[in-house]
Amino acid sequence: MTAYTKIDSPLGELLLVGEESATAKGGTALVSLSVPGQRGAATIKEGWTHEPEAFAEIAAQLRSYFEGSLARFDLEYVASGSDFQQRVWRSVDAVPYGATTTYGRIADEVGAPRKAVQAVGAAIGANPLLVVRPCHRVVGADGALTGYAGGLERKRQLLDAERVHRAA
């Protein structure tokens, strides 16, 4: 059964979507985390149940992240995406808190040719788990902020907050 809730955050109201899981902390595996106005954001569907209590552990980790006391999420995710997307997302998951990498480096890490950088960007853009899968840490080859489904201002906000908290 699919459940959802909304929580407030520095990025605006987040929509959390999950499924019951016997192995996930708190009993819910995360399917999607969306921000307002996000390109390709999840929308609440008929038959989903509003269950804020099912997301207590996820919400607590998000609060800790936004407060700067959590650098790595310990959440179970529901597997989705193609094999290529999953390889890209695993590479994105490995980018350390407060650091950045480039689309080209991600392409190299997943064994894709450099000309596949656009495909890497598309896979990152299809990430259903904004914030917790840190696609905001992937930047252009020249360090420029590019391509964030949640908007470049939010990407900047997340990177700036991580740098501040990491330096503290």
Side-chain angles (χ1 to χ4, degrees):
M1 175 168 53
T2 302
Y4 75 93
T5 195
K6 293 180 179 182
I7 63 170
D8 290 327
S9 83
L11 302 177
E13 188 176 67
L14 304 179
L15 172 61
L16 308 178
V17 180
E19 292 182 1
E20 187 176 341
S21 169
T23 58
K25 284 184 177 183
T28 301
L30 195 60
V31 172
S32 174
L33 187 157
S34 303
V35 299
Q38 174 186 330
R39 183 177 19 118
T43 56
I44 298 168
K45 302 210 180 340
E46 190 174 322
W48 289 7
T49 57
H50 183 244
E51 294 184 45
E53 65 284 351
F55 294 89
E57 174 65 26
I58 296 166
Q61 288 191 40
L62 284 163
R63 276 191 301 278
S64 295
Y65 168 81
F66 287 121
E67 292 166 358
S69 61
L70 180 74
R72 185 157 190 82
F73 291 94
D74 184 17
L75 300 171
E76 183 177 310
Y77 312 132
V78 173
S80 66
S82 68
D83 177 63
F84 179 74
Q85 288 172 325
Q86 289 179 26
R87 289 191 345 256
V88 168
W89 296 341
R90 278 191 299 274
S91 186
V92 169
D93 282 335
V95 180
Y97 181 88
T100 59
T101 191
T102 66
Y103 295 93
R105 279 192 222 129
I106 297 282
D108 290 343
E109 288 173 11
V110 301
R114 275 292 172 144
K115 64 183 178 184
V117 168
Q118 286 183 325
V120 167
I124 291 170
N127 171 20
L129 302 169
L130 289 191
V131 183
V132 298
R133 179 176 290 133
C135 55
H136 58 275
R137 297 180 189 151
V138 183
V139 298
D142 62 356
L145 300 187
T146 59
Y148 187 61
L152 292 182
E153 185 53 41
R154 286 192 182 105
K155 185 171 190 165
R156 180 181 322 283
Q157 186 179 355
L158 289 165
L159 290 172
D160 288 349
E162 287 185 5
R163 284 188 191 110
V164 167
H165 292 129
R166 186 175 181 200

